[in-house]
Amino acid sequence: MQTSAVEQSTLIRRVVGLRGIDTTLVSPGYTLIAHLTSPGVVRLISTDGTEVHRWILPFRPDRHARILPNGNLAYNGVHPDSPCLFPLWQKYRGGVMMQVDAAGNVVSEYRDPMAHHDQHHLDNGEILYTTLEALTPEQAATIPGGIPDSEAPDGKAYADCIKHVSSTGSLLWSWRAIEHLDPQPFPLYPHYARENWSLINSVFPLKDGNILASLRSVSAVIITERRTGKVTWHLDDSVLAQQHCASELPNGNILIFDNGTFRKGESATYSRVIEVSRASRCVVWQYRDPHPMTFFTPFMGGAQRLENGNTLITEAAFGRVFEVTREGSLCWEWVNEEFADYEGLGAEEIEALFDYPDNALFRAYKYTPEEIPWLTEK
């Protein structure tokens, strides 16, 4: 095998680990990351870039992890017996929703082999999550757009559902896209396979009891009324482009990671984070890199508004996490230094599609020292 004096990975050449910090502006705390091509590794990273805690869990990460108010880790792992629906299903499926303590002991576990993307653990032990169901041929025929004849290998198209289960696994509420979402205003983008409509990548419970959801393959963020299932709010592709991670802020506005793939009216790709007024649907704050095209992830991505007003941003495909002030000043930047591919992780269908060492993260979260008291007690 030929060797080179030059590092062949562009990401590593550009420096990994801590890239920079402004200690006068950065929010104090620890950043939680789950490396997607790890066998089940979750880490806490301090603002100086050092690892302060690591969990090694029995399932590779589905997407991300969070720390709950009780101090436990909420972790979503890949279900070992999930069906092989279509190749990319191996990349974003989940299904094992766990709470574990600091030592990695399982406190609770709920499984759904059809779960994917966001499995949102609520503070009371309940879980709000996305899942799939197969459509009938008649239902699939109503879905406009997408690549012609690109249904799953079994000939079926699948549609998203949202479920809410209790801490003991009892179904509390459910919502079906095919039942409550009119396909005509929500067509698949022409570059997307017809295997999965509408690719919900985040769900968030609003203070008013309704549900906020991000629908990637139709470039939409919606609010659905919990009582009726009706869509009562819709932000469309005049603002969004393949977005992720929609969440509600304390002021009622919506924070969104706007990826920028297939952005309408613009040929150059760039990502941004936007804060949108729920009342006016106008962007009231945004972060773009001063050189916009240097901040871009074509898929995945996260944004978290911190207590001091800063925003933590995950440039997911490149393992980059950074923090900016309200004024847009970069005050912390870190890049995941661990790389691996999917070999040996039970994802054979996508090994050839993603056959390179990767440091990708789906979404990172930051916590103050007070939110992780067991860490300071170690």
Side-chain angles (χ1 to χ4, degrees):
M1 181 177 179
Q2 186 177 5
T3 59
S4 171
V6 178
E7 171 57 57
Q8 297 303 293
S9 169
T10 300
L11 293 177
I12 295 175
R13 271 201 322 276
R14 290 176 177 172
V15 182
V16 293
L18 184 67
R19 283 182 171 177
I21 181 173
D22 183 334
T23 57
T24 66
L25 296 176
V26 70
S27 174
Y30 305 95
T31 299
L32 185 74
I33 63 107
H35 182 198
L36 292 178
T37 50
S38 74
V41 175
V42 179
R43 298 193 288 156
L44 275 170
I45 306 298
S46 70
T47 54
D48 66 6
T50 58
E51 178 183 312
V52 296
H53 192 76
R54 174 180 291 232
W55 292 264
I56 301 177
L57 300 165
F59 309 98
R60 71 175 169 93
D62 158 33
R63 301 281 82 182
H64 62 282
R66 292 173 52 238
I67 291 178
L68 300 176
N70 63 9
N72 288 339
L73 180 77
Y75 179 73
N76 303 316
V78 172
H79 197 294
D81 301 315
S82 178
C84 298
L85 303 179
F86 42 84
L88 279 181
W89 175 246
Q90 287 285 11
K91 185 170 178 61
Y92 60 72
R93 67 185 177 92
V96 182
M97 299 161 239
M98 311 168 67
Q99 276 196 48
V100 300
D101 65 16
N105 300 306
V106 177
V107 176
S108 64
E109 181 178 299
Y110 173 77
R111 296 191 181 196
D112 181 343
M114 298 293 279
H116 69 91
H117 278 93
D118 205 356
Q119 290 130 77
H120 191 103
H121 296 249
L122 307 184
D123 295 349
N124 61 2
E126 297 171 358
I127 306 172
L128 183 73
Y129 70 97
T130 53
T131 184
L132 283 186
E133 66 172 350
L135 298 180
T136 66
E138 293 76 20
Q139 289 171 329
T142 68
I143 308 299
I147 302 168
D149 303 316
S150 60
E151 285 75 13
D154 61 5
K156 295 178 181 177
Y158 292 82
D160 288 310
C161 305
I162 303 173
K163 291 185 178 181
H164 180 192
V165 296
S166 71
S167 58
T168 59
S170 299
L171 182 65
L172 301 174
W173 177 82
S174 64
W175 181 89
R176 302 171 63 230
I178 196 62
E179 179 181 355
H180 296 290
L181 202 63
D182 180 359
Q184 295 307 312
F186 297 93
L188 284 166
Y189 262 57
H191 311 79
Y192 275 91
R194 291 179 53 81
E195 59 202 14
N196 184 186
W197 175 81
S198 54
L199 201 59
I200 296 177
N201 56 36
S202 73
V203 286
F204 191 93
L206 299 174
K207 292 190 291 288
D208 62 13
N210 297 320
I211 306 300
L212 178 72
S214 166
L215 289 57
R216 181 191 174 204
S217 63
V218 300
S219 287
V221 168
I222 63 170
I223 293 174
T224 183
E225 187 178 54
R226 186 181 178 97
R227 183 177 60 85
T228 64
K230 180 181 177 181
V231 174
T232 59
W233 191 88
H234 173 201
L235 191 66
D236 64 17
D237 62 2
S238 64
V239 177
L240 302 170
Q242 315 296 284
Q243 75 299 317
H244 287 72
C245 195
S247 64
E248 183 182 32
L249 297 176
N251 63 6
N253 290 345
I254 307 299
L255 189 69
I256 304 169
F257 187 99
D258 185 27
N259 290 73
T261 308
F262 311 130
R263 192 182 300 281
K264 279 193 169 181
E266 299 187 58
S267 59
T269 52
Y270 62 88
S271 295
R272 61 179 182 163
V273 173
I274 58 175
E275 180 181 337
V276 176
S277 165
R278 187 168 165 181
S280 68
R281 293 181 174 81
C282 293
V283 175
V284 297
W285 178 87
Q286 70 170 324
Y287 172 79
R288 292 170 58 181
D289 193 277
H291 189 311
M293 289 178 289
T294 62
F295 165 38
F296 174 66
T297 179
F299 42 80
M300 308 185 293
Q304 177 195 12
R305 182 61 48 80
L306 304 175
E307 288 185 6
N308 70 347
N310 290 355
T311 302
L312 187 77
I313 300 172
T314 310
E315 189 179 7
F318 308 111
R320 178 178 178 237
V321 187
F322 60 100
E323 187 176 324
V324 299
T325 67
R326 186 75 184 178
E327 295 71 33
S329 295
L330 181 74
C331 59
W332 186 75
E333 182 181 19
W334 178 88
V335 176
N336 182 20
E337 72 277 24
E338 297 189 353
F339 289 75
D341 57 27
Y342 279 100
E343 186 175 356
L345 297 180
E348 292 77 13
E349 293 92 336
I350 57 173
E351 284 184 12
L353 295 174
F354 303 93
D355 62 346
Y356 48 85
D358 196 1
N359 68 340
L361 315 167
F362 183 67
R363 189 190 302 167
Y365 285 99
K366 191 169 190 177
Y367 299 92
T368 64
E370 293 76 21
E371 292 176 298
I372 321 175
W374 54 260
L375 183 63
T376 58
E377 294 166 1
K378 287 176 62 177

